[in-house]
Amino acid sequence: MITRLATSMRPAAFAPALTLTLIALLVVSATLAKVSPAHAQLRIDITQGRVDPLPIAIADFIGSTSEGDRIGREMAQVISGNLARSGLFAPIDKKAFIQTAAQLKARPRFGDWRLINAQALVHGATQVQADGRLRVEFRLWDVFAEQQMVGHAYFTVPANWRRVAHIISDVIYKRITGEDGYFDTRLVYIAESGPPDRRQKRLAIMDQDGANHRFLTDGKTLVLTPRFSPTSQEITYLAYYNDKPRVYIFNIDTGQQEVLGDFPGMSFAPRFSPDGNKVIMSMAKNGITDIYTMDLATRTIRRLTDSPSIDTSATFAPDGSQVVFNSDRGGRQQLYVMGSDGSNVHRISFGKGRYATPVWSPRGDLIAFTKILGREFYIGVMRTDGSGERLLTKGFLVEAPTWAPNGRVLIYFKQTPSDKQGRGHTSKLYSIDLTGYNEREIVTPLDASDPAWSPLIP
Amino acid sequence: MRMKLLSLFAAAALLAACETAPETTGSSAGTGSTAAPAAATTTTAAPATMVSSKPAPGSSEEFVVDIGDRVYFGFDQYDLTADARTTLERQAFWLRKYPSKTITVEGHCDERGTREYNLALGERRANAVKDYLLALGIDGSRVKTLSYGKERPVAFGSNEEAWGLNRRGVTALN
């Protein structure tokens, strides 16, 4: 769904250069014209543990109408929220601003922004074009160097303003941290309600900031463990339709659901391959669980493991060449890596406790996992050879880490213990930085579990 | 102690091929880590209260109350305890008596495991029950298995007692 349009637009009337980007519906066009030669003095190193968040002023985007002003205010709010939640930025309260948003359009009075300790400044404008499209432009300034760091313009249908705000957030994040952003993404998860013994579970999807939330299934059927396809257009998950636990694919655009394969036993734990051509899953029969792949075009099934143990929760490496899974073949759950054809199986986790739900980082360098040790559950990461284990968080029950597309942030779910009446039982999503800092609840309308983070939306 | 004696009596009764097994819940006093929980949960429809009227022969009520529809497992275990075998022997006896009945064995886990592993473990537990019933002469075509992992607890409370009650294999009449 990506169309790249080469546009040679004249630089906007005012200097420095403004890069123009077109967004029509979901079609994004990124044309990188020459950017001003600002030196990147302003930079956050996000590989450090605790970072002092960068004070940033994000002015309301001004519009040509009152409706435009409203959208502009909301866009500034979305951008502020994104950057604040990253833990790397500290958006400054608008009430402290000296120069008004309207005055900014000419040129920032940097002294005014230094006075309130803003190190970076974002401002922008929206305008509805004669053809009905919305034009959004924004600029990011280094306040102390008095230089523009980036400037872009976007064209889109007005209803799409929220996505533009996420894309702008990603541009700001990347310009200042040097890493790709993760704000133009979505989460699919299981929404939960009701008492523990009659828990209603529904497939739900929302933007990473909680907006555009919707339920995809009605809750009559138990559904679990959703995962996005690489294009984020499909979700593979486990559903108990007709009391038969089987792997399904859900098409987000059409709402159609399709069972994947007619296995003799329970099929579960599905994940797409990085190229989207296959689904890797587990099949349990006669007390034995093994790992299989299904080619989605030919529906050919290939068996990858053949042991009398439980082999499950298999996930591909981002280059598709290897698979990590957990198995109790050694007596208790541990992590194993094998080639994507099932060859060269070798154990990588050797620590105390049980290891589960391994997930390869999109950068390829780390594997995140759930660990159970004593009475605690942990979320941790290790290198792909099993070395360098680091535990990021723990709780009565924390489970199922999922990576941001830039490999810097994880989301997982946290369940609380309940009393004899089932009181106290909650399940919520949390995010945490790879550094182990900045743990935050992801607010959902109902209880939540089994999160899966989408790639950047194409 | 009293429960223990009852259990022994139940086993003896079965060996003698007695038709009515007296033990009701399929559980016995807990000793050791893999022992079954001691009491029926407060959250399910408690079968033990129906003492006054005797369930109809061949009814699912009789199966649940007089035979015992469930067995319990140790933490991360799927092998059958002696108590579990006793219960399943009663189930097999009953199923032989009513050969038209078919069953689904549900495998369940406590909340102290990860979701997908528990789905596999529940399937393993259901199959352990099924295999024993088959060894006792029940035709495989009458027995289906279904794992719910940790999705359908019967006992609330995040404690050992509740977890023990939730690690179960339940034989449900279709």
Side-chain angles (χ1 to χ4, degrees), chain A residues 24 27 73 75 86 94 125 128 170 201 232-233 238 251 262 270 283 285 296 304 310 356 359-360 397 407 445 452:
Chain A
V27 183
R73 267 196 308 277
M75 289 186 74
S86 78
K94 286 190 291 192
V128 178
D170 283 333
K201 296 202 171 192
S232 305
Q233 294 305 302
L238 169 63
N251 185 304
D262 188 22
M283 202 269 285
K285 191 166 188 301
L296 294 175
L304 297 191
I310 290 174
V359 199
W360 220 293
L397 196 158

Short mmCIF file of all heavy atoms in Angstrom, two decimals, chain A residues 24 27 73 75 86 94 125 128 170 201 232-233 238 251 262 270 283 285 296 304 310 356 359-360 397 407 445 452:
data_model
loop_
_atom_site.label_atom_id
_atom_site.label_comp_id
_atom_site.label_asym_id
_atom_site.label_seq_id
_atom_site.Cartn_x
_atom_site.Cartn_y
_atom_site.Cartn_z
N ALA A 24 -2.00 11.05 1.20
CA ALA A 24 -3.36 10.98 0.71
C ALA A 24 -3.95 9.69 1.23
O ALA A 24 -3.46 8.62 0.94
CB ALA A 24 -3.37 11.00 -0.81
N VAL A 27 -1.83 6.79 1.80
CA VAL A 27 -0.68 6.80 0.90
C VAL A 27 0.29 7.87 1.36
O VAL A 27 -0.04 9.05 1.41
CB VAL A 27 -1.10 7.06 -0.54
CG1 VAL A 27 0.10 7.00 -1.45
CG2 VAL A 27 -2.14 6.03 -0.95
N ARG A 73 -4.69 22.35 17.54
CA ARG A 73 -4.51 22.16 19.00
C ARG A 73 -4.38 20.69 19.33
O ARG A 73 -3.53 20.26 20.10
CB ARG A 73 -5.70 22.74 19.77
CG ARG A 73 -5.53 24.18 20.23
CD ARG A 73 -6.55 24.55 21.29
NE ARG A 73 -7.94 24.25 20.92
CZ ARG A 73 -8.71 25.06 20.17
NH1 ARG A 73 -8.20 26.19 19.70
NH2 ARG A 73 -9.94 24.74 19.87
N MET A 75 -3.52 18.28 17.34
CA MET A 75 -2.28 17.70 16.81
C MET A 75 -1.12 17.96 17.78
O MET A 75 -0.31 17.08 18.05
CB MET A 75 -1.97 18.28 15.43
CG MET A 75 -2.91 17.78 14.34
SD MET A 75 -2.43 18.33 12.70
CE MET A 75 -1.00 17.29 12.41
N SER A 86 7.40 8.79 25.79
CA SER A 86 8.68 8.14 25.47
C SER A 86 9.67 8.30 26.63
O SER A 86 10.67 7.59 26.70
CB SER A 86 9.28 8.75 24.21
OG SER A 86 9.89 10.01 24.50
N LYS A 94 2.01 24.89 27.97
CA LYS A 94 1.74 26.00 27.03
C LYS A 94 1.56 27.33 27.74
O LYS A 94 1.80 28.38 27.17
CB LYS A 94 0.45 25.70 26.25
CG LYS A 94 0.59 24.65 25.17
CD LYS A 94 -0.63 24.61 24.28
CE LYS A 94 -1.83 24.06 25.04
NZ LYS A 94 -2.97 23.72 24.14
N ALA A 125 1.34 24.63 11.14
CA ALA A 125 0.09 25.24 10.69
C ALA A 125 -0.69 24.22 9.87
O ALA A 125 -0.11 23.32 9.25
CB ALA A 125 0.39 26.48 9.86
N VAL A 128 -6.88 24.03 5.07
CA VAL A 128 -7.68 23.23 4.14
C VAL A 128 -7.53 23.83 2.75
O VAL A 128 -7.74 25.01 2.54
CB VAL A 128 -9.16 23.19 4.56
CG1 VAL A 128 -9.97 22.38 3.56
CG2 VAL A 128 -9.30 22.59 5.96
N ASP A 170 7.19 10.95 14.99
CA ASP A 170 8.29 10.06 14.59
C ASP A 170 9.46 10.84 14.00
O ASP A 170 10.63 10.52 14.24
CB ASP A 170 7.79 9.02 13.58
CG ASP A 170 7.00 7.90 14.25
OD1 ASP A 170 7.24 7.62 15.44
OD2 ASP A 170 6.13 7.30 13.57
N LYS A 201 -13.31 -12.55 26.52
CA LYS A 201 -12.11 -12.05 25.85
C LYS A 201 -12.43 -11.67 24.42
O LYS A 201 -13.05 -12.44 23.70
CB LYS A 201 -11.01 -13.11 25.90
CG LYS A 201 -10.55 -13.41 27.32
CD LYS A 201 -9.18 -14.03 27.37
CE LYS A 201 -8.68 -14.11 28.80
NZ LYS A 201 -7.25 -14.44 28.89
N SER A 232 0.58 -5.13 8.79
CA SER A 232 -0.39 -4.72 9.82
C SER A 232 -1.83 -4.81 9.32
O SER A 232 -2.74 -4.29 9.96
CB SER A 232 -0.13 -3.30 10.32
OG SER A 232 1.18 -3.18 10.79
N GLN A 233 -2.07 -5.43 8.18
CA GLN A 233 -3.43 -5.54 7.66
C GLN A 233 -4.15 -6.80 8.13
O GLN A 233 -5.35 -6.90 8.04
CB GLN A 233 -3.41 -5.53 6.12
CG GLN A 233 -2.95 -4.22 5.53
CD GLN A 233 -3.76 -3.04 6.05
OE1 GLN A 233 -4.97 -3.00 5.89
NE2 GLN A 233 -3.09 -2.09 6.69
N LEU A 238 -5.53 -17.11 18.05
CA LEU A 238 -6.15 -18.38 18.42
C LEU A 238 -7.60 -18.12 18.80
O LEU A 238 -7.88 -17.22 19.59
CB LEU A 238 -5.40 -18.98 19.61
CG LEU A 238 -6.05 -20.18 20.30
CD1 LEU A 238 -6.15 -21.37 19.35
CD2 LEU A 238 -5.25 -20.58 21.53
N ASN A 251 -8.73 -10.41 8.74
CA ASN A 251 -8.39 -9.29 7.86
C ASN A 251 -9.02 -8.02 8.41
O ASN A 251 -10.24 -7.93 8.53
CB ASN A 251 -8.88 -9.57 6.44
CG ASN A 251 -8.43 -8.49 5.48
OD1 ASN A 251 -8.70 -7.31 5.69
ND2 ASN A 251 -7.73 -8.90 4.43
N ASP A 262 -6.34 -27.54 8.69
CA ASP A 262 -7.21 -28.46 9.42
C ASP A 262 -6.33 -29.49 10.12
O ASP A 262 -6.18 -30.61 9.69
CB ASP A 262 -8.18 -29.13 8.45
CG ASP A 262 -9.22 -29.95 9.21
OD1 ASP A 262 -9.42 -29.67 10.41
OD2 ASP A 262 -9.80 -30.87 8.61
N PRO A 270 0.35 -18.70 17.03
CA PRO A 270 0.75 -18.33 15.67
C PRO A 270 1.54 -17.01 15.64
O PRO A 270 1.29 -16.11 16.44
CB PRO A 270 -0.59 -18.13 14.98
CG PRO A 270 -1.49 -17.61 16.06
CD PRO A 270 -1.05 -18.30 17.33
N MET A 283 1.27 -27.19 17.15
CA MET A 283 0.14 -28.12 17.07
C MET A 283 0.33 -29.17 18.16
O MET A 283 1.41 -29.73 18.31
CB MET A 283 0.06 -28.76 15.70
CG MET A 283 -1.32 -29.29 15.36
SD MET A 283 -1.54 -30.99 15.83
CE MET A 283 -0.59 -31.79 14.55
N LYS A 285 -1.00 -32.69 19.91
CA LYS A 285 -1.78 -33.91 19.71
C LYS A 285 -1.19 -35.00 20.59
O LYS A 285 0.03 -35.13 20.67
CB LYS A 285 -1.72 -34.33 18.24
CG LYS A 285 -2.72 -35.42 17.91
CD LYS A 285 -2.88 -35.57 16.40
CE LYS A 285 -4.01 -36.51 16.07
NZ LYS A 285 -3.83 -37.85 16.62
N LEU A 296 1.32 -19.57 3.31
CA LEU A 296 -0.04 -19.05 3.16
C LEU A 296 -0.54 -19.13 1.72
O LEU A 296 -1.74 -19.22 1.49
CB LEU A 296 -0.10 -17.61 3.67
CG LEU A 296 0.13 -17.46 5.17
CD1 LEU A 296 0.19 -16.00 5.57
CD2 LEU A 296 -0.97 -18.17 5.96
N LEU A 304 8.68 -28.52 11.89
CA LEU A 304 10.03 -28.07 12.23
C LEU A 304 10.62 -28.81 13.42
O LEU A 304 11.83 -28.99 13.49
CB LEU A 304 10.05 -26.56 12.52
CG LEU A 304 9.68 -25.61 11.39
CD1 LEU A 304 10.02 -24.18 11.78
CD2 LEU A 304 10.39 -25.98 10.10
N ILE A 310 6.98 -30.38 24.94
CA ILE A 310 6.18 -29.23 24.53
C ILE A 310 7.12 -28.22 23.89
O ILE A 310 7.98 -27.65 24.55
CB ILE A 310 5.46 -28.59 25.75
CG1 ILE A 310 4.36 -29.52 26.27
CG2 ILE A 310 4.88 -27.23 25.36
CD1 ILE A 310 3.70 -29.03 27.55
N ALA A 356 10.12 -18.39 28.86
CA ALA A 356 8.99 -18.58 27.94
C ALA A 356 8.81 -17.36 27.04
O ALA A 356 9.47 -16.34 27.22
CB ALA A 356 7.72 -18.82 28.75
N VAL A 359 10.77 -13.46 22.08
CA VAL A 359 10.47 -12.59 20.93
C VAL A 359 11.75 -11.92 20.47
O VAL A 359 12.41 -11.23 21.24
CB VAL A 359 9.46 -11.46 21.28
CG1 VAL A 359 8.83 -10.93 20.00
CG2 VAL A 359 8.40 -11.94 22.24
N TRP A 360 12.06 -12.12 19.20
CA TRP A 360 13.26 -11.55 18.63
C TRP A 360 13.07 -10.05 18.43
O TRP A 360 12.03 -9.63 17.91
CB TRP A 360 13.53 -12.21 17.27
CG TRP A 360 14.95 -12.51 17.03
CD1 TRP A 360 15.94 -11.60 16.86
CD2 TRP A 360 15.56 -13.81 16.90
NE1 TRP A 360 17.13 -12.24 16.64
CE2 TRP A 360 16.93 -13.59 16.66
CE3 TRP A 360 15.08 -15.12 16.97
CZ2 TRP A 360 17.84 -14.63 16.48
CZ3 TRP A 360 15.98 -16.16 16.79
CH2 TRP A 360 17.35 -15.92 16.55
N LEU A 397 2.54 -11.49 38.12
CA LEU A 397 2.47 -12.13 36.81
C LEU A 397 2.68 -11.06 35.75
O LEU A 397 1.83 -10.19 35.56
CB LEU A 397 1.12 -12.84 36.59
CG LEU A 397 1.09 -13.83 35.42
CD1 LEU A 397 -0.03 -14.84 35.59
CD2 LEU A 397 0.95 -13.16 34.07
N GLY A 407 12.81 -1.39 18.39
CA GLY A 407 13.57 -2.23 19.30
C GLY A 407 14.03 -1.54 20.58
O GLY A 407 14.94 -2.04 21.25
N PRO A 445 -9.70 0.63 27.57
CA PRO A 445 -11.06 0.76 28.13
C PRO A 445 -11.40 -0.34 29.12
O PRO A 445 -12.05 -0.10 30.13
CB PRO A 445 -11.96 0.67 26.90
CG PRO A 445 -11.10 0.94 25.73
CD PRO A 445 -9.71 0.53 26.10
N ALA A 452 0.28 -7.06 21.14
CA ALA A 452 1.21 -7.20 20.01
C ALA A 452 1.33 -5.84 19.34
O ALA A 452 0.32 -5.22 19.01
CB ALA A 452 0.73 -8.25 19.02
#
